Amino acid sequence: MLAGGGLAVPARVSRAGSGPRGTGDLGIVIERATGSVLVVETTGRTVLGRIEGLGDLSHASAVFSRDERYAYVFGRDGGLTRLDLLEMRIDRRIVQAGNSIGGAISDDGRLVAASNYDPGGVKVFDADTLVEVAAIPAIGAQGRASKTVGLVDVTGRRFVYTLYDAGEIWIADFSRGATPVLTKFPDAGALPYDANVTGDGRHYLAGLFGEDGITYLDLWDDAPKLRRVFQGYNAGRDKLPVYKMPHFEGWGQSGSDLVLPAAGQNEVLLLDLSTLKEKARIAVHGQPVFCVARPDGREVWINFAHPANDTIQILDVPKAKIVHTFQPGPAVLHLEFTPRGHEVWISVRDADRVDIMDVRTRAKVGEIAARKPSGILFTARAHRLGS
Amino acid sequence: MQALPTRWRTSSRWWLSAAAAVALAGSAWAGENAVDAAKLTALVLQDCGSCHGMTLKGGLGKPLTAEQLEHWDSEQIAHIILEGVPGTPMPPWKPLLSEAEARWIADHLKKGTLR
């Protein structure tokens, strides 16, 4: 057992022997209160070091370079920091906006895009130099400047994202160079708060806060058209107050089934992607935040909003049934599976701890100390579309 | 802003929850001295912070800095905390917070002393 908060962390990689090492088992843990990240490795389940000076990480996410050496961390304060995971240092850092929510990296690894709240819109940078390549304001058809959410990469140097205030979905196509060709889908619904794409780059869905439903776009369609799924799923019942927005990142896809967090209900939604019909609504412990698929898709592990955020539930997707419930500790903010899903790392913010569990036995096999940990992101994301 | 969805309006169920929360809070009605300052500070920074930013400079929700709140009085802010803002993601906190707690948070947001 490690003492919380008192962990001595070397400034640089302290690997036995200083020979070359791979990066496929590396990852980062965001320490949201101190603007720092831990660089971790999942083979020996250890902390390799702490990197400080990343600004306000109270909301943060990251993507990885194709060689899995660099992490691009998007901070709340508009900071975009390129971390060198081998040298254990900040390689480059810019403050590209006043307030940012996340980002994506193009399929060729050349462009990093950031999704911004203030001043809104999306900015795109050269992945090596962080020099700005394009700034795309998000002014909707009604002339309304928008925060952007749900920014993902898809094939062909394209980014897809959603305009929160304007209620639109846009595709920015950089396949012809630095000037994007924009395709806009207005009338995507009221207050889309998050969106994501499936791992095949096909199904893009945006959760709506201002109306009852989820917007759907088939990106494989030659002429994609907006559709609504789960329309009216709150009909006839009260919508509960939402104390933390559901997140679509990491959502659970299992074959043609997609598991999504409901907004304002203690349930998760099961969508059949082959028919776009609702398959099930499954009652859960609280309001879901993340519905994270085990990499093989068989299970989805779910965490919850305040005040039910001490718990994780495991959904068996084929059975459409909760099969296990446990309490890792106070304020479970995020979880990440190892690349093939043998273990899972769980951040327990208010215990200043990350728990590591064996996925098959569901036994805890380790832990690391971290200061107010939130996002856990492993380098295997480098090779997945949309993440 | 779109029409306010009726489901956002307070239902009797929430009034009951609110009453239960108040009953549990018990002496919170006694005023300032009864609130748990450390707990409320953590709640504002960590949980309000998930939308308003942990430094309260904003996110999906508006900034809650003292400067930003200059033109609002504590009573109005406490009312928003308890009742939420219909048609936006700002939820009513009265199922979880007493009036005294909301007022304490409002006062400290105004003073900019939560950090």
Side-chain angles (χ1 to χ4, degrees), chain A residues 150-325:
Chain A
L151 170 63
V152 299
D153 59 281
V154 293
T155 53
R157 266 168 78 105
R158 289 178 302 160
F159 297 106
V160 186
Y161 53 96
T162 295
L163 281 59
Y164 172 76
D165 307 276
E168 302 189 9
I169 295 172
W170 289 14
I171 300 172
D173 182 340
F174 285 86
S175 62
R176 291 179 192 173
T179 307
V181 176
L182 298 178
T183 308
K184 302 176 182 179
F185 300 89
D187 303 316
L191 302 182
Y193 60 87
D194 197 11
N196 199 6
V197 70
T198 50
D200 54 12
R202 177 172 184 178
H203 309 284
Y204 185 83
L205 288 97
L208 302 176
F209 203 89
E211 64 183 86
D212 214 3
I214 294 169
T215 299
Y216 171 88
L217 197 58
D218 183 349
L219 297 170
W220 283 11
D221 201 329
D222 291 335
K225 280 183 286 293
L226 294 176
R227 299 172 63 167
R228 293 283 202 282
V229 296
F230 286 105
Q231 199 153 24
Y233 74 91
N234 283 314
R237 49 189 186 157
D238 293 323
K239 185 173 177 179
L240 306 175
V242 176
Y243 295 112
K244 185 175 169 75
M245 283 298 207
H247 285 53
F248 279 16
E249 187 264 327
W251 64 10
Q253 187 179 2
S254 178
S256 64
D257 293 337
L258 187 67
V259 180
L260 296 156
Q265 301 294 341
N266 294 336
E267 64 187 19
V268 297
L269 307 173
L270 194 48
L271 177 69
D272 182 345
L273 288 169
S274 64
T275 60
L276 294 184
K277 293 272 195 302
E278 171 180 332
K279 196 163 172 184
R281 302 176 190 186
I282 298 147
V284 291
H285 170 73
Q287 292 189 51
V289 177
F290 287 101
C291 297
V292 182
R294 204 171 79 178
D296 65 353
R298 168 76 192 265
E299 291 176 349
V300 169
W301 293 40
I302 303 158
N303 76 331
F304 300 97
H306 180 87
N309 59 0
D310 63 344
T311 296
I312 286 181
Q313 288 191 307
I314 302 175
L315 173 72
D316 183 306
V317 181
K319 292 182 183 138
K321 198 177 152 199
I322 297 294
V323 291
H324 189 58
T325 300

Side-chain angles (χ1 to χ4, degrees), chain A residues 32 56 58 99 117 239 241 243, chain B residues 14 46 54-55 58 60 92:
Chain A
R32 68 192 299 265
D56 180 355
S58 60
N99 197 318
Y117 280 177
K239 185 173 177 179
Y243 295 112
Chain B
W14 285 104
Q46 301 291 343
M54 211 172 55
T55 54
L60 198 65

Side-chain angles (χ1 to χ4, degrees), chain B residues 2-24:
Chain B
Q2 38 289 316
L4 151 63
T6 50
R7 62 179 175 275
W8 262 97
R9 292 185 195 135
T10 307
S11 72
S12 55
R13 195 139 61 91
W14 285 104
W15 281 111
L16 287 175
S17 308
V22 165
L24 285 172

